[in-house]
């Protein structure tokens, strides 16, 4: 009984394989030569949100006994989406005097795709190989349009496959404020328009929703001109925005509450044309403070940064607030 079941399983497997690689009754000429193996290489890309049939694929074969003819897309739909796994059938044609004698999957070598099935057609002069390409969930569609208005409002078209976007707001080739991560399709860059220039623009690219290390190509916007008057008005607005908030004393320390109710923490802030420094808990710092290797003196009473002055312990402070003389490692500077 066991031997019978083993023979039955082998017969069924052989039947399935012969069905996939079946040869019609009217086959090749008796003097034709056999093609016993084929090699197929698939290179290129399929971009999400493009029409099926517009793939940028390069399919090549090895050897001179056969050649690539065409391929057909098996996926259902009209446009490629991030959920698609491209499924294509590749048609190979034998050269004169040859026919395909392919009877098992091991006779087909693939690069850039995964084998699904194969079948011989046209009296074994045509071999049809079905393969799957990598899933498109690792793709990010390039952004087709990015527009910036005169007031610094930046908008762009959605990038299919993206979970977020990276934005560079630029002036004369310099990125202002670093690369920003944005979750929507808009960004307000007006706060950076503080100098007159005709070269304000922004660049944006999509970031894959599943793998943030996969990113699209940068798309550039139009350029916007900012006059001296516009720049001065923006500087004033920035000062007012930075000053928006409320001072409050807590447990003997001064803190600055922002309009949203949160505390200003761990950094510098210009408030009513004076600079202040806050620690990680939101407490205003006073006295000597070192930042990036430079010493600053913060008023012991109200915390504002001193500029162009001499401290009580005799050190000169420059116009930019940095200690201009003395050894930064001196004892007594805390």
């Amino acid at each position: 009984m066991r031997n019978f079941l083993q023979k039955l399983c082998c017969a069924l497997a052989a039947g399935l394989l012969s069905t996939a690689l079946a040869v019609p009754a009217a086959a090749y000429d008796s003097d034709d030569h056999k093609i016993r193996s084929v090699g197929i290489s698939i290179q290129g890309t399929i971009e999400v949100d493009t029409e099926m049939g517009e793939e940028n694929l390069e399919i090549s074969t090895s050897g001179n006994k056969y050649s690539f003819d065409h391929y057909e897309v098996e996926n259902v739909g009209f446009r490629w989406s991030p959920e698609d796994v491209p499924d294509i059938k590749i048609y190979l044609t034998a050269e004169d005097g040859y026919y395909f004698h392919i009877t098992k999957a091991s006779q087909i070598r693939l690069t850039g795709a995964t084998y699904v099935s194969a079948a011989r057609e046209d009296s074994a002069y045509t071999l049809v190989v079905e393969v799957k390409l990598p899933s498109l969930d690792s793709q990010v569609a390039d952004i087709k349009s990015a527009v910036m208005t005169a007031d610094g409002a930046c908008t762009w078209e959605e990038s299919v496959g993206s979970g977020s976007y990276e934005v560079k707001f630029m002036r004369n080739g310099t990125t202002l404020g670093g690369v920003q991560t944005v979750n929507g399709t808009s960004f307000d860059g007006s706060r950076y328009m503080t100098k007159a220039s005709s070269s304000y623009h922004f660049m944006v690219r999509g970031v894959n929703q599943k793998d943030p290390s996969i990113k699209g190509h940068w798309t550039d916007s139009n350029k916007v001109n900012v006059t001296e008057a516009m720049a001065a008005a923006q500087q004033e607005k920035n000062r007012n925005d930075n000053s928006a908030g409320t001072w409050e004393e807590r447990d003997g320390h001064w803190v600055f509450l922002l309009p949203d109710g949160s505390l200003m923490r761990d950094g510098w802030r210009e408030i009513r044309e004076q600079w202040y420094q806050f620690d990680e808990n939101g407490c205003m710092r006073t006295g000597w403070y070192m930042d990036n290797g430079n010493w600053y003196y913060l008023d012991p009473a109200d915390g504002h940064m001193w500029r162009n002055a001499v401290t009580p312990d005799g050190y000169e402070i420059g116009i930019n607030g940095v200690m201009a003389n003395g050894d930064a490692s001196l004892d007594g500077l805390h």
Side-chain angles (χ1 to χ4, degrees), residues 35-295:
I35 300 174
R36 298 181 181 276
S37 65
V38 298
I40 307 172
S41 174
I42 302 97
Q43 295 180 322
T45 58
I46 297 177
E47 294 186 6
V48 294
D49 202 33
T50 58
E51 292 187 8
M52 292 184 180
E54 295 184 353
E55 302 78 28
N56 181 26
L57 297 178
E58 181 179 342
I59 300 176
S60 59
T61 58
S62 59
N64 56 6
K65 300 175 182 178
Y66 59 95
S67 60
F68 165 70
D69 188 80
H70 71 283
Y71 73 86
E72 296 176 354
V73 175
E74 294 297 294
N75 298 77
V76 178
F78 299 97
R79 302 183 72 83
W80 292 108
S81 73
E83 294 76 27
D84 284 328
V85 177
D87 186 343
I88 66 174
K89 285 185 176 180
I90 299 172
Y91 287 74
L92 304 181
T93 302
E95 298 297 330
D96 290 342
Y98 293 91
Y99 70 93
F100 292 102
H101 188 70
I102 305 296
T103 59
K104 52 187 177 181
S106 60
Q107 292 175 275
I108 301 173
R109 302 185 308 276
L110 288 173
T111 302
T114 303
Y115 176 83
V116 176
S117 66
R120 290 175 288 178
E121 297 179 354
D122 301 330
S123 300
Y125 293 121
T126 297
L127 180 67
V128 183
V129 182
E130 184 176 358
V131 302
K132 287 187 181 294
L133 304 180
S135 172
L136 298 187
D137 63 4
S138 62
Q139 301 290 320
V140 175
D142 287 338
I143 297 169
K144 299 177 181 178
S145 177
V147 179
M148 178 176 169
T149 59
D151 60 357
C154 306
T155 57
W156 55 89
E157 292 185 0
E158 181 182 359
S159 165
V160 178
S162 297
S164 62
Y165 301 89
E166 288 186 346
V167 178
K168 294 192 294 186
F169 194 86
M170 309 183 75
R171 180 185 65 232
N172 297 328
T174 300
T175 300
L176 308 174
V179 178
Q180 310 279 339
T181 298
V182 180
N183 291 323
T185 56
S186 63
F187 176 78
D188 182 6
S190 60
R191 62 185 179 276
Y192 300 114
M193 303 168 77
T194 57
K195 293 185 179 180
S197 174
S198 60
S199 297
Y200 282 97
H201 65 110
F202 77 96
M203 301 180 72
V204 59
R205 66 180 177 183
V207 179
N208 185 265
Q209 58 185 342
K210 290 188 176 181
D211 185 352
S213 67
I214 301 174
K215 302 173 183 180
H217 297 102
W218 289 106
T219 297
D220 203 352
S221 74
N222 57 298
K223 292 186 177 180
V224 169
N225 179 55
V226 173
T227 64
E228 293 284 359
M230 294 167 64
Q234 186 60 50
Q235 291 177 21
E236 179 64 22
K237 182 178 184 303
N238 288 351
R239 284 192 289 268
N240 292 335
D241 290 344
N242 288 338
S243 298
T246 306
W247 285 103
E248 184 177 301
E249 188 174 10
R250 294 183 179 179
D251 299 326
H253 298 281
W254 284 99
V255 298
F256 191 74
L257 274 70
L258 301 174
D260 63 359
S262 64
L263 290 178
M264 172 59 201
R265 300 175 185 270
D266 197 21
W268 292 93
R269 191 174 186 88
E270 186 179 20
I271 304 173
R272 298 178 183 87
E273 301 186 5
Q274 295 285 1
W275 283 96
Y276 298 84
Q277 230 292 333
F278 297 86
D279 66 18
E280 62 276 9
N281 297 315
C283 298
M284 181 190 72
R285 298 181 188 272
T286 59
W288 285 107
Y289 174 70
M290 176 177 277
D291 187 15
N292 284 331
N294 294 317
W295 281 104

